[in-house]
Amino acid sequence: MVIVLKENPNPKQYENLLQWLESQHLEIHTSQGKHQKLLGLVGDTSVVDIDLILALDIVKEVKRIQEPYKNANRTFHPENTIIQVGDVKIGQDFCIMAGPCSVESEEQILEIAKRVKAAGANILRGGAFKPRTSPYAFQGLEGKGIELLLEAKAETGLPIVTEIMDLSQLDLFDDVDIIQVGARNMQNFRLLKELGTTQKPILLKRGLSSTLQELLMSAEYIMAGGNPNVILCERGIRTFETFTRNTLDLAAIPSLKELTHLPVIVDPSHATGKSRLVEPMAYAAAAAGADGLMIEVHNNPAYALCDGPQSLTPDAFDNLVQGVNHILPHAFRRQN
Amino acid sequence: MVIVLKENPNPKQYENLLQWLESQHLEIHTSQGKHQKLLGLVGDTSVVDIDLILALDIVKEVKRIQEPYKNANRTFHPENTIIQVGDVKIGQDFCIMAGPCSVESEEQILEIAKRVKAAGANILRGGAFKPRTSPYAFQGLEGKGIELLLEAKAETGLPIVTEIMDLSQLDLFDDVDIIQVGARNMQNFRLLKELGTTQKPILLKRGLSSTLQELLMSAEYIMAGGNPNVILCERGIRTFETFTRNTLDLAAIPSLKELTHLPVIVDPSHATGKSRLVEPMAYAAAAAGADGLMIEVHNNPAYALCDGPQSLTPDAFDNLVQGVNHILPHAFRRQN
Amino acid sequence: MVIVLKENPNPKQYENLLQWLESQHLEIHTSQGKHQKLLGLVGDTSVVDIDLILALDIVKEVKRIQEPYKNANRTFHPENTIIQVGDVKIGQDFCIMAGPCSVESEEQILEIAKRVKAAGANILRGGAFKPRTSPYAFQGLEGKGIELLLEAKAETGLPIVTEIMDLSQLDLFDDVDIIQVGARNMQNFRLLKELGTTQKPILLKRGLSSTLQELLMSAEYIMAGGNPNVILCERGIRTFETFTRNTLDLAAIPSLKELTHLPVIVDPSHATGKSRLVEPMAYAAAAAGADGLMIEVHNNPAYALCDGPQSLTPDAFDNLVQGVNHILPHAFRRQN
Amino acid sequence: MVIVLKENPNPKQYENLLQWLESQHLEIHTSQGKHQKLLGLVGDTSVVDIDLILALDIVKEVKRIQEPYKNANRTFHPENTIIQVGDVKIGQDFCIMAGPCSVESEEQILEIAKRVKAAGANILRGGAFKPRTSPYAFQGLEGKGIELLLEAKAETGLPIVTEIMDLSQLDLFDDVDIIQVGARNMQNFRLLKELGTTQKPILLKRGLSSTLQELLMSAEYIMAGGNPNVILCERGIRTFETFTRNTLDLAAIPSLKELTHLPVIVDPSHATGKSRLVEPMAYAAAAAGADGLMIEVHNNPAYALCDGPQSLTPDAFDNLVQGVNHILPHAFRRQN
């Protein structure tokens, strides 16, 4: 951490600052420039609140040199994290999570589960609790939806991933294999903390306006509680472009692989909001070195009204998986 | 709502769509253009999920003409909503909420409460539960913090506003006058729903990447549950600019006053993240027609390490309130 | 185009509007809703200035249904545009433009030209006029730089692409094969117009905050003047993320291929600003169906101070081209 | 400037870096941390290209401590710049530039000029060269438009400001009092350089996605050439919000006043794109300490089709000026 002082700092305040920094067990290196003095801090600065120092009258700027996350930091954990879910080793095997936006009926979820398994998906996704912008929109089958997912799991053997919206729902997730934290809950810190007390794999989606560092700080919330099983998911960020629903940030894949040892998957369905863009973005994510994909698939094109514009038919999904499998052997692999 | 069809739509799918729209009690007006057909829908389209229609193969675009919120919509409720809290009529009187970022001690909160009351604040703010990006940062005094706020309320007569982070905390807020929903929880729909079942005034902060329409949809969640007492708060949105923490969107004030009848207040402290920008932004917000301000004030410049860079001293706050009071008689007033 | 009128429009103004629309040779379809009247306009609406209609007191909203570009629009030109430059058919063959950020010396550009040609590049890039944020930074060798590029072209047979910054420089570009218009000049409309009077292939980079539609409108400026040879280039847009210099929007590839018949290439070097992210993003762009890449390569790792952090060494570029060649046979291909 | 090295830097490369830095006349202070070494550089770092250093293999990060602009920097020029145009001292007097979006006819510009002068404007604005997104839209009267502005100036005594689009037009601006550089040209560096060779006051608009630092670097381009007469203009930045055309960043006013000594004015017409938002944003800008406003006014409500939705009628402008005059005595004033 580097602290830049204003010109001619008040000597008493400067003395106070030095004392306080030393009380934090930080070693201080001073450089006197023409217009300002720099303090270089050496030691564990992750506990130092940057805003506190910025508040001081004598301070012009504070710049963090070391990332403020530890458990999630590749510097301290160079090996890739591998999370086993059923037979899938996430972070090692390429993982494809597929299924409908919402669980709607037993027939629907069983049918889709069989189709996506046959096509090559290794995890079943499906929404039971649905975060909807409008209070008047369908909010999901809730507990019943989770029951149907478990039925599909029993039938197909596919592990399941589904979204939690509030920590009061946690009991219902006992048999869920991966708990998803949605983009809107990425900074629901109480929920993250609670999930940190379990050992469940957590699929943590990047918030719509979150930086990579914030995503990693949210992962750190879970990990600091003792749960190392975090899977990161890039799902698009909000920009001024309106043709796509969000802007899928695929450079986040190699960037995150550099910053952290956690697996990184990509959800092109929500990012683009248009089913015809899902296939090319899935290919791109695979090529860029993602550890997996999350894809929406619906099974009833005749009654497509029940499904979002980002969903593929099972046939289109078949095609997508085949294409991805062609690309995977040639995908980018990070060298440590 | 206007539906634009692709060229040469499949006749069977077109027939299905027409039937489905009619089953939603919508009247349909058709216009045949050179390259596409338009369907103009008349009726209550707020229940129609725009994504469902977009999913249809034969549909090119869907455009909503009428806003999808009803309770919050000024079209249907032309009169300003006025929410009485203690002696303050929010939406009619100019309201100033002030206090520390975090409640830290009895001495601190009592001292600040007295100072901000003397300066002209009519509501006391203070954080008991603190949403912090880092799990290693101070998370607030929690229940104890609320007790201290209530003590300050008893001593000064100022109503209090403080942030809830999770619905499991709701019982602790029984005697809190205004419950704040923070920017990161603006789309915590379970929390919004639960708050809709109370009659408590809710201060709803705009999310960092939320549009005005999304803010109003979140207000609608609370109102649809039966709680009409929603106060909106602009607190900056995230952009590429890095000099300020966020970009304060002051055009949101007259825009929201046009779209909705709810009161609109502004938080320049969090938006800018720099205490020296708070005063000019407070003046600007008042001039643009805001119904109030939320300002961070801290009382211990000697130990400023305990407070963020966006906090003013009580003396600076005195000065700010006087400046705002000079501007208020000349502020913009919306004409209905 | 759909015009939504406010409730109870002034009859005289309404009459005026209808007359004016008819004078524009537009056919009008009227739908009366509960709260507002819609006018659906049929005909050539590309000449109608949407802002003019929005200005009318009686108008609530105007929504364009048809894209306002014609020459660049795939609807009217379903076949891919193919632009021959030397032996390369851009839009059909995969094209790799590579070379240094700036031309620095004869030795440098000749050496790099040979290396990138050997590695598989089919076009040589190099900056002669450099747009630099700071007036104190190196601004390029200018005319001399173009001469050196032409020398490298003579030596290697590679066609060259280099950036123009102002139309006063146009004469110097007589023997340049492709003229690049940089992101900062995407809306330099005088320059676009002038380039429209030539038949030179133009590489048009997307502006840092430009929508896809604006990019296509800028292409339309060139094409409307009679020059159909426009190559579009995605090079990252500006967002709040700070780890990468910009956010590369790879969904722009299939989106643009849907909207337009023009070739689309990707520049991962400028987008990310970090050389170690260039390879994965190049793979991703190829997989998503790009028509080509533009890559910065420098030749002197020992004296890397002369080059930007987004440049690869020739060896790294070799490796990148091989990787891309593995992916290309499996890349996404748009079906018309 | 602070350079953070990677762990265990190659000793030879480290030695090279030190030598190069010393050759730039920079003094170097070294701090050895647990995981990395810091180099603090003292001296004139404005000439150091941050990207060059970032390119080195041994460098993890480079952070600039001092702003890279000198002429525009308040640190080195603490006094406000005052630019006299006719009778108006911009930077001292509050200045109101008003007039039509486009000059359309002699009658129109004379009529508006008289009206805005009577209402209190002290500078006349009007577009002769119009940057239009669409090649099919009206592009302005060009040279004829400037003649008409000069006529209006002769008639009313108001100095005039109008936009240049390309440096080939410069001769036509001989008698123009203030040359405007539009947002799209903020980084047209050739144009900026050329304007730096004149002594004309330049109104420099912030680009749609430009940071404040970039705006100041563009001002530096003009000033480095010898022209100190730069007026900065905030006119909204691009965000995801769609209700307003852009997001007016009013915190830019006190931020710029802190960073630079140049005058700062605000254009609420273009920023919001809606005439009914212009008045409240003008009040807010005045309250926040702006040095002036730029406002679009049109004179023919009956034929409003000729003007954009952001234009006020002369009566609304009268009202706005009166409101602003009430606020000005109470506006925020920066204390040095």
Side-chain angles (χ1 to χ4, degrees), chain C residues 92-295:
Chain C
Q92 179 175 308
D93 310 336
F94 193 79
C95 107
I96 300 184
M97 307 178 179
C101 176
S102 302
V103 180
E104 287 164 23
S105 68
E106 187 182 35
E107 192 194 352
Q108 174 235 28
I109 190 66
L110 288 180
E111 161 79 9
I112 298 186
K114 287 172 197 164
R115 289 295 310 263
V116 300
K117 185 181 183 185
N122 37 28
I123 295 174
L124 176 66
R125 60 145 289 158
F129 296 95
K130 297 300 301 171
R132 303 300 304 269
T133 310
S134 166
Y136 309 119
F138 175 54
Q139 314 264 325
L141 293 183
E142 313 204 331
K144 175 71 183 162
I146 293 187
E147 281 171 35
L148 294 176
L149 282 168
L150 291 171
E151 221 178 287
K153 175 184 173 180
E155 186 103 3
T156 61
L158 287 177
I160 57 174
V161 55
T162 191
E163 180 169 353
I164 194 169
M165 280 181 63
D166 186 85
L167 55 85
S168 65
Q169 302 157 350
L170 199 50
D171 287 349
L172 295 167
F173 285 72
D174 275 352
D175 298 319
V176 168
D177 299 279
I178 306 177
I179 301 180
Q180 176 178 322
V181 175
R184 291 178 177 81
N185 268 328
M186 193 202 85
Q187 294 194 322
N188 185 333
F189 299 121
R190 294 284 145 162
L191 179 59
L192 300 178
K193 249 187 205 169
E194 194 67 28
L195 295 173
T197 65
T198 75
Q199 289 296 306
K200 282 272 186 217
I202 309 297
L203 180 73
L204 180 65
K205 288 197 153 188
R206 181 184 186 183
L208 270 80
S209 70
S210 296
T211 61
L212 298 182
Q213 177 161 313
E214 285 169 342
L215 173 61
L216 291 169
M217 290 308 289
S218 287
E220 190 78 12
Y221 256 96
I222 299 167
M223 300 173 87
N227 183 352
N229 302 310
V230 179
I231 304 156
L232 303 173
C233 181
E234 161 62 28
R235 45 80 70 221
I237 56 174
R238 187 160 268 188
T239 69
F240 52 81
E241 177 59 57
T242 55
F243 187 79
T244 44
R245 185 194 291 162
N246 293 124
T247 297
L248 188 61
D249 176 13
L250 288 178
I253 303 167
S255 300
L256 285 170
K257 299 299 280 182
E258 177 182 327
L259 295 169
T260 185
H261 48 91
L262 298 172
V264 178
I265 73 163
V266 171
D267 175 347
S269 301
H270 280 89
T272 62
K274 294 191 168 167
S275 62
R276 59 194 188 273
L277 301 179
V278 171
E279 187 186 344
M281 289 302 96
Y283 289 16
D291 292 304
L293 292 168
M294 179 170 239
I295 306 279

Side-chain angles (χ1 to χ4, degrees), chain C residues 57-102:
Chain C
D57 267 357
I58 59 171
V59 170
K60 185 181 174 191
E61 251 182 309
V62 184
K63 294 180 178 283
R64 203 180 272 284
I65 303 303
Q66 196 166 291
E67 297 83 5
Y69 44 93
K70 288 190 274 191
N71 291 289
N73 199 326
R74 195 182 273 276
T75 305
F76 308 125
H77 309 268
E79 295 300 310
N80 284 335
T81 283
I82 293 165
I83 300 171
Q84 179 131 10
V85 177
D87 295 338
V88 199
K89 292 186 163 65
I90 301 175
Q92 179 175 308
D93 310 336
F94 193 79
C95 107
I96 300 184
M97 307 178 179
C101 176
S102 302

Side-chain angles (χ1 to χ4, degrees), chain B residues 35-230:
Chain B
H35 293 280
Q36 64 271 314
K37 185 177 276 189
L38 300 190
L39 307 181
L41 304 187
V42 176
D44 179 9
T45 56
S46 73
V47 298
V48 177
D49 189 341
I50 204 165
D51 283 352
L52 301 193
I53 297 174
L54 261 176
L56 288 172
D57 268 358
I58 58 171
V59 170
K60 183 182 175 192
E61 251 184 308
V62 184
K63 296 183 177 281
R64 203 181 271 286
I65 302 303
Q66 194 165 293
E67 297 84 5
Y69 44 92
K70 289 190 271 190
N71 290 288
N73 199 325
R74 194 182 275 275
T75 306
F76 308 125
H77 308 268
E79 295 300 311
N80 284 336
T81 283
I82 292 165
I83 300 172
Q84 178 132 12
V85 176
D87 296 338
V88 197
K89 291 187 165 65
I90 301 175
Q92 178 175 310
D93 312 334
F94 193 79
C95 108
I96 301 183
M97 308 178 179
C101 176
S102 301
V103 180
E104 287 165 23
S105 70
E106 188 183 33
E107 192 194 348
Q108 173 235 26
I109 190 68
L110 288 181
E111 162 78 9
I112 298 186
K114 286 174 198 162
R115 289 297 309 263
V116 300
K117 185 181 181 183
N122 37 27
I123 295 175
L124 177 66
R125 62 145 288 159
F129 296 96
K130 298 299 303 171
R132 304 300 304 269
T133 311
S134 166
Y136 309 120
F138 174 54
Q139 314 264 324
L141 293 183
E142 313 205 331
K144 177 68 184 163
I146 294 188
E147 280 171 36
L148 293 176
L149 281 168
L150 291 171
E151 222 178 287
K153 174 185 174 180
E155 186 103 1
T156 59
L158 288 177
I160 58 175
V161 55
T162 192
E163 179 170 353
I164 195 168
M165 280 181 63
D166 186 84
L167 55 84
S168 65
Q169 302 157 350
L170 198 51
D171 287 350
L172 294 167
F173 284 72
D174 275 352
D175 298 320
V176 168
D177 299 279
I178 305 177
I179 301 180
Q180 177 178 323
V181 174
R184 290 177 176 81
N185 268 328
M186 193 203 84
Q187 293 194 322
N188 185 333
F189 299 121
R190 292 285 144 162
L191 179 60
L192 299 178
K193 248 188 206 171
E194 193 68 27
L195 295 173
T197 66
T198 74
Q199 289 296 304
K200 281 273 186 217
I202 308 298
L203 180 74
L204 181 65
K205 288 196 153 187
R206 183 182 185 182
L208 268 80
S209 70
S210 296
T211 61
L212 297 181
Q213 178 161 311
E214 285 169 341
L215 173 61
L216 290 169
M217 288 308 287
S218 287
E220 190 79 10
Y221 255 97
I222 299 168
M223 299 173 89
N227 183 353
N229 301 308
V230 179

Side-chain angles (χ1 to χ4, degrees), chain A residues 20 49 51-52 55 71 132 134 136 139 142 184 187 190 193 209 214 220-221 238 305 307 309, chain B residues 20 49 51-52 55 71 132 136 139 142 184 187 190 193 209 214 217 220-221 238 305 307 309:
Chain A
W20 186 81
D49 189 342
D51 284 351
L52 301 194
N71 291 288
R132 304 301 304 268
S134 166
Y136 309 120
Q139 314 265 322
E142 313 205 332
R184 290 177 177 81
Q187 293 195 323
R190 294 283 144 162
K193 248 186 205 171
S209 70
E214 285 169 341
E220 189 79 11
Y221 254 96
R238 187 162 268 189
L305 281 173
D307 229 318
Chain B
W20 184 82
D49 189 341
D51 283 352
L52 301 193
N71 290 288
R132 304 300 304 269
Y136 309 120
Q139 314 264 324
E142 313 205 331
R184 290 177 176 81
Q187 293 194 322
R190 292 285 144 162
K193 248 188 206 171
S209 70
E214 285 169 341
M217 288 308 287
E220 190 79 10
Y221 255 97
R238 188 160 268 189
L305 281 174
D307 227 321

Side-chain angles (χ1 to χ4, degrees), chain A residues 18-28 41-45 47-48, chain D residues 34:
Chain A
L18 291 184
Q19 279 175 25
W20 186 81
L21 291 171
E22 277 158 11
S23 77
Q24 305 291 308
H25 309 294
L26 298 168
E27 200 184 307
I28 307 169
L41 305 186
V42 175
D44 178 8
T45 55
V47 296
V48 177
Chain D
K34 213 174 275 179

Side-chain angles (χ1 to χ4, degrees), chain C residues 16 20 46-47 49 51-56 68 70-71 129 131-137 139 142 165-169 184-185 187-190 193 208-211 214 217-218 220-221 224 238 245 302-309, chain D residues 16 20 46-47 49 51-56 68 70-71 129 131-137 139 142 165-169 184-185 187-190 193 208-211 214 217-218 220-221 224 238 245 302-309:
Chain C
N16 285 347
W20 184 81
S46 73
V47 296
D49 189 340
D51 284 351
L52 300 193
I53 297 175
L54 261 176
L56 288 173
K70 288 190 274 191
N71 291 289
F129 296 95
R132 303 300 304 269
T133 310
S134 166
Y136 309 119
Q139 314 264 325
E142 313 204 331
M165 280 181 63
D166 186 85
L167 55 85
S168 65
Q169 302 157 350
R184 291 178 177 81
N185 268 328
Q187 294 194 322
N188 185 333
F189 299 121
R190 294 284 145 162
K193 249 187 205 169
L208 270 80
S209 70
S210 296
T211 61
E214 285 169 342
M217 290 308 289
S218 287
E220 190 78 12
Y221 256 96
R238 187 160 268 188
R245 185 194 291 162
Y303 190 49
L305 280 174
C306 305
D307 227 322
Chain D
N16 285 347
W20 185 82
S46 74
V47 297
D49 189 341
D51 284 352
L52 301 193
I53 298 175
L54 260 176
L56 288 173
K70 289 191 271 191
N71 291 289
F129 296 95
R132 304 300 305 267
T133 311
S134 166
Y136 308 120
Q139 313 264 326
E142 313 204 332
M165 280 180 64
D166 186 84
L167 55 85
S168 66
Q169 301 157 352
R184 289 178 178 81
N185 268 328
Q187 294 194 323
N188 185 332
F189 299 121
R190 293 284 144 162
K193 250 188 203 169
L208 269 80
S209 70
S210 296
T211 61
E214 287 169 340
M217 290 308 288
S218 287
E220 189 78 11
Y221 255 97
R238 188 161 267 189
R245 186 194 289 162
Y303 190 48
L305 280 174
C306 304
D307 227 322

